[in-house]
């Protein structure tokens, strides 16, 4: 079963490879991930953090938008069955966060599109199902277990996640770590688990975990077969805001759920009152072909170590 040793080797910085698809693909094949310092302008990331934080102040989860200080009494009083335990806040608060227009625009940033265009050597499709993690320290929350994204999103195995926090995030605030080289093992059988996704990959003696602190603007990206997990957080009085955004070549298939909103509300509800239309329903004209959902990928399995 997965090790819970939190010792980490540092990320290998691939910033100097930007602009070279061949070198990016070579590094990605070797390590299974790519890490970039300041790929996104800090001001653009801060704009999204501020907009989401203001929503959470209004909703009651935060007492201060700038510092990210959590209203522990408010959050801890929310019954577990009303929490989005994969997200860190209540379901109603998450719907409000999903309505933030700037959050939906950031995944289309030219720096991200250029990266994936070079990496794929193909045109890029941005999944509209963006995930905002707002980890608050609610008693029901558990760290994200070691898992692969593929059983949860399916479609092409060449779907890549961009993970990045919306503020400077030291290890004590629980950023993501990755198991270097694990993408080469293919699909790994799973077991039930607590935490986001409710599954964990059944690991043997794999222990080449890589991670570190993030600054706003840093981006970690990896394909859907790479095993990753959250570093257990020790700081619980401030929120950890982060985004999971997914990209894939437009020529490869996508599973239909990846075209829905992550709050499971309709797009019409999410877009109500928006002032801009450039990122609304963009996938209706040029989405990849659809692939079927495979329930067997989420059935508990066995792995002989």
């Amino acid at each position: 079963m997965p090790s819970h040793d939190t010792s980490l080797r540092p990320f290998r910085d691939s910033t100097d490879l930007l602009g070279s698809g061949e070198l990016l693909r070579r590094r990605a094949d070797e390590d299974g991930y790519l890490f970039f310092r300041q790929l996104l302008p800090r001001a653009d990331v801060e704009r999204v953090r501020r907009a989401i934080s203001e929503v959470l102040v209004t909703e009651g989860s935060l007492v201060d938008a700038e510092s990210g200080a959590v209203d522990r009494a408010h959050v801890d009083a929310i019954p577990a069955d009303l929490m989005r335990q994969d997200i860190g806040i209540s379901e109603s608060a998450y719907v409000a966060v999903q309505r933030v227009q700037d959050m939906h625009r950031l995944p289309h940033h030219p720096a991200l599109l250029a990266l994936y265009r070079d990496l794929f050597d193909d045109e890029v499709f941005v999944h509209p199902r963006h995930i905002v993690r707002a980890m608050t320290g609610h008693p029901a929350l558990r760290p994200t277990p070691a898992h692969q994204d593929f059983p949860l999103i399916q479609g092409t195995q060449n779907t890549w996640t961009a993970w990045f926090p919306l503020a400077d995030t030291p290890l004590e605030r629980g950023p993501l770590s990755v198991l270097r080289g694990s993408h080469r093992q293919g699909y790994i059988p799973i077991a039930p688990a607590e935490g986001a996704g409710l599954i964990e990959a059944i690991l043997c003696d794999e222990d080449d975990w890589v991670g570190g602190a993030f600054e706003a603007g840093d981006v970690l990206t990896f394909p859907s077969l790479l095993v990753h997990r959250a570093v257990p957080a020790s700081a619980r009085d401030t929120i950890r805001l982060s985004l999971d955004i997914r990209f894939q070549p437009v020529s490869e298939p996508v599973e239909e759920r990846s075209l829905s909103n992550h709050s499971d509300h309709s797009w019409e509800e999410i877009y109500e009152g928006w002032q801009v239309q450039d990122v609304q329903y963009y996938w209706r004209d040029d989405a990849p072909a659809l692939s079927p959902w495979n329930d067997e990928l989420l059935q508990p399995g066995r792995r002989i170590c």
Side-chain angles (χ1 to χ4, degrees):
M1 298 299 289
S3 166
H4 294 284
D5 181 5
T6 57
S7 61
L8 297 170
R9 294 200 303 125
F11 288 122
R12 180 152 64 153
D13 190 348
S14 293
T15 307
D16 62 342
L17 306 184
L18 287 169
S20 173
E22 179 180 357
L23 294 179
L24 289 168
R25 288 188 290 274
R26 188 182 304 167
R27 175 70 58 82
D29 182 64
E30 181 179 354
D31 289 346
Y33 74 92
L34 297 167
F35 177 74
F36 305 99
R37 292 288 184 194
Q38 300 301 293
L39 178 65
L40 292 170
R42 176 181 283 267
D44 293 347
V45 176
E46 281 287 318
R47 185 180 305 112
V48 176
R49 181 201 62 77
R50 192 174 304 110
I52 292 174
S53 296
E54 288 171 356
V55 167
L56 293 178
V57 168
T58 300
E59 177 274 333
S61 294
L62 297 184
V63 295
D64 179 66
E66 195 57 38
S67 68
V70 174
D71 187 332
R72 291 299 304 273
H74 172 88
V75 169
D76 291 355
I78 299 172
D81 62 349
L82 297 182
M83 289 290 291
R84 278 291 300 254
Q85 296 182 29
D86 58 332
I87 299 301
I89 51 179
S90 69
E91 173 64 32
S92 60
Y94 191 50
V95 175
V97 166
Q98 281 288 335
R99 291 189 173 121
V100 172
Q101 297 177 55
D102 282 338
M103 185 275 288
H104 289 273
R105 299 188 68 142
L106 188 59
H108 299 266
H109 195 284
L112 291 170
L113 297 180
L115 163 64
Y116 292 105
R117 192 175 295 115
D118 288 341
L119 182 63
F120 299 150
D121 194 22
D122 195 353
E123 289 304 308
V124 180
F125 179 68
V126 184
H127 289 202
R129 190 178 175 85
H130 313 313
I131 302 174
V132 183
R133 310 283 183 193
M135 305 309 290
T136 56
H138 185 279
L141 301 185
R142 300 292 182 269
T144 299
H147 70 285
Q148 297 173 310
D149 285 338
F150 180 65
L152 299 167
I153 60 174
Q154 304 193 24
T156 175
Q157 294 180 358
N158 202 20
T159 297
W160 281 63
T161 294
W163 187 94
F164 54 92
L166 299 179
D168 294 348
T169 303
L171 284 176
E172 56 265 28
R173 293 180 72 178
L176 213 61
S177 61
V178 300
L179 185 57
R180 181 180 179 272
S182 55
H183 63 301
R184 291 192 291 271
Q185 299 182 37
Y187 168 75
I188 297 174
I190 64 167
E194 295 183 314
L198 300 177
I199 62 170
E200 63 182 352
I202 300 174
L203 303 182
C204 296
D205 57 356
E206 300 94 338
D207 63 357
D208 195 3
W209 288 98
V210 179
F214 285 73
E215 296 181 359
D218 295 349
V219 174
L220 170 66
T221 187
F222 48 86
S224 64
L225 288 177
L226 188 80
V227 177
H228 54 286
R229 69 183 181 193
V231 175
S234 58
R236 297 182 175 273
D237 292 328
T238 54
I239 199 166
R240 194 214 73 195
L241 290 173
S242 63
L243 293 185
D244 296 43
I245 305 167
R246 296 193 169 113
F247 302 82
Q248 67 169 76
V250 73
S251 61
E252 299 184 27
V254 66
E255 203 284 320
E256 189 171 13
R257 300 182 203 195
S258 292
L259 306 180
S260 62
N261 184 264
H262 193 250
S263 72
D264 294 327
H265 282 239
S266 70
W267 285 114
E268 287 73 19
E269 292 173 285
I270 297 300
Y271 293 153
E272 185 177 359
W274 277 31
Q275 303 301 310
V276 296
Q277 297 183 354
D278 57 341
V279 294
Q280 293 186 34
Y281 304 114
Y282 63 89
W283 61 92
R284 291 183 172 177
D285 294 328
D286 55 4
L290 298 180
S291 63
W293 181 261
N294 182 358
D295 279 322
E296 293 184 4
L297 294 172
L298 287 173
Q299 299 305 309
R302 296 180 58 197
R303 185 180 180 196
I304 298 175
C305 295

